[in-house]
Amino acid sequence: VYQIDDFDGVYFDSDNTDVVTVDENGELTATGRGDAVITAIDGDGNVRYYEVNVSFSFIQWIIYILLLGFLWY
């Protein structure tokens, strides 16, 4: 986890908003499963890229199978 005290002049963007969005403070919100790249650009033009993967946890998979398992039969 990266923490920055001052986000003034830092621009954030997600290349796949179907997976994750990012606000002006750099806070990520998962919107689906998959991979995305977050880009952060500061006022001096320095660019950083962060790869993000959003997936189900083990318990979410169990719930998904139990709730939707009947559709397979």
Side-chain angles (χ1 to χ4, degrees), residues 10-31:
V10 179
Y11 170 77
F12 296 97
D13 190 38
S14 171
D15 75 333
N16 190 350
T17 56
D18 291 335
V19 174
V20 66
T21 60
V22 59
D23 68 11
E24 65 275 357
N25 296 315
E27 184 172 317
L28 304 178
T29 302
T31 55

Side-chain angles (χ1 to χ4, degrees), residues 37-64:
V37 176
I38 303 301
T39 304
I41 305 171
D42 68 13
D44 295 328
N46 299 312
V47 180
R48 291 285 178 115
Y49 300 99
Y50 301 95
E51 295 180 8
V52 177
N53 175 274
V54 179
S55 62
F56 279 153
S57 69
F58 176 74
I59 193 68
Q60 287 172 313
W61 274 114
I62 297 298
I63 292 169
Y64 184 76

